[in-house]
Amino acid sequence: MTHRTSPIAALAAAILASLGIAATYELLVVSYAGQMVDQDVMELMGARTGNDAPTGGLLAEIQVPVLAGCGLLIGAICLARRSWRLALHASLLIGAVVVLAVVGKSELERPPLDVGNALNSFPSNTVAAFAAAGIALCAVTPRRARPLAAIAATAGLGVVSFTVVSQQWHRPSDVIGGALLAVAVAAVVDLLIPAWNARSARDHTEHDVRDWQRSRAAVR
């Protein structure tokens, strides 16, 4: 029997993540107190890691190749599982997150309250892209291997999030916004193209073979 994620659960996740994005923006980007906290945390993390100003670092050099590698891995898994549904799900998820992050960053305003750089950096494009890639990887990975994929994706996102703040690319609010954006879009995409608990063509074939073997054993 094939199960799918509850539409109510997916809808709730999308709504809660969207509310989290709005709350983060209002509390940490729009307000003076929020900007102060946001800026202080970024500068403190930067000082602790020896970065007193925005620094390129290793992430600037490898983020595009790493994301490309994630895309190739996701594509290879979808190909191995012979599932166009999983491929479409992952493509829509990653594409929508990247587009929305770019649009949000360019269209949202950061009030000029004389706290750090007045240019808006919410949400983080980098964090949003890595979060989307990680969620997509987990969605297309077979259930048995999904915990390993989740651990790898979470660890990678943690490293990226720490790096963009400590190198003063982004404030903590940008990281939160980018991650929540990926969650919200992932929930909506799963409503449109269920993938988390949907069987691939290969999974169906293996299931049918096992059923046939059981039926033959029962007849004997």
Side-chain angles (χ1 to χ4, degrees), residues 160-220:
V160 170
S161 299
F162 175 83
T163 301
V164 297
V165 177
S166 63
Q167 292 185 345
Q168 299 197 32
W169 293 11
H170 287 285
R171 304 171 182 90
S173 62
D174 305 334
V175 171
I176 297 171
L180 288 176
L181 175 61
V183 172
V185 172
V188 172
V189 170
D190 202 60
L191 281 171
L192 300 174
I193 310 172
W196 279 89
N197 293 302
R199 284 203 185 102
S200 66
R202 182 172 182 175
D203 294 335
H204 275 296
T205 300
E206 293 175 350
H207 180 74
D208 292 341
V209 169
R210 286 194 296 268
D211 283 347
W212 177 76
Q213 291 174 338
R214 291 193 192 101
S215 64
R216 286 197 61 185
V219 170
R220 290 177 182 176

Side-chain angles (χ1 to χ4, degrees), residues 88-121:
L88 183 59
H89 177 101
S91 299
L92 181 58
L93 167 55
I94 296 174
V97 168
V98 170
V99 170
L100 289 174
V102 171
V103 172
K105 187 175 177 180
S106 63
E107 295 299 322
L108 291 174
E109 294 184 358
R110 179 182 177 83
L113 302 176
D114 295 325
V115 180
N117 192 329
L119 294 176
N120 178 58
S121 54

Side-chain angles (χ1 to χ4, degrees), residues 134-158:
I135 295 173
L137 176 62
C138 292
V140 304
T141 299
R143 293 185 191 180
R144 292 181 181 179
R146 194 169 287 168
L148 293 178
I151 292 172
T154 302
L157 182 61

